[in-house]
Amino acid sequence: HGKAAGIFVLDARETRIENNVVVDFLDGIYVNDRDNPALAGVRYSIAHNTIVAASERGISLFGTRSSDS
């Protein structure tokens, strides 16, 4: 059992997370723009992922700079 995220995205520009299988982590997919002003308006696309046995959250998206994600 993983104690972190299966996929971890931090302070990233335009990012696509697609077609993954994530098994047995605390968070399946964790994305955070950390309110970085340089990332205003960035988009994150999270699609067609299979998340199995995430003990906390399947997908977590945090931050105020991303849009239309």
Side-chain angles (χ1 to χ4, degrees):
H1 172 69
K3 297 200 183 255
I7 297 174
F8 188 85
V9 179
L10 190 61
D11 276 338
R13 298 241 177 240
E14 304 287 323
T15 303
R16 293 177 7 177
I17 303 168
E18 300 174 343
N19 303 313
N20 297 284
V21 176
V22 181
V23 179
D24 202 23
F25 282 91
L26 186 67
D27 288 329
I29 299 172
Y30 177 91
V31 180
N32 191 335
D33 67 22
R34 297 192 334 164
D35 296 326
N36 183 339
L39 300 177
V42 300
R43 295 178 212 212
Y44 301 109
S45 171
I46 303 170
H48 310 291
N49 296 285
T50 301
I51 301 169
V52 179
S55 61
E56 293 285 325
R57 293 168 292 272
I59 299 173
S60 299
L61 177 59
F62 296 97
T64 60
R65 301 296 176 171
S66 59
S67 64
D68 298 326
S69 297

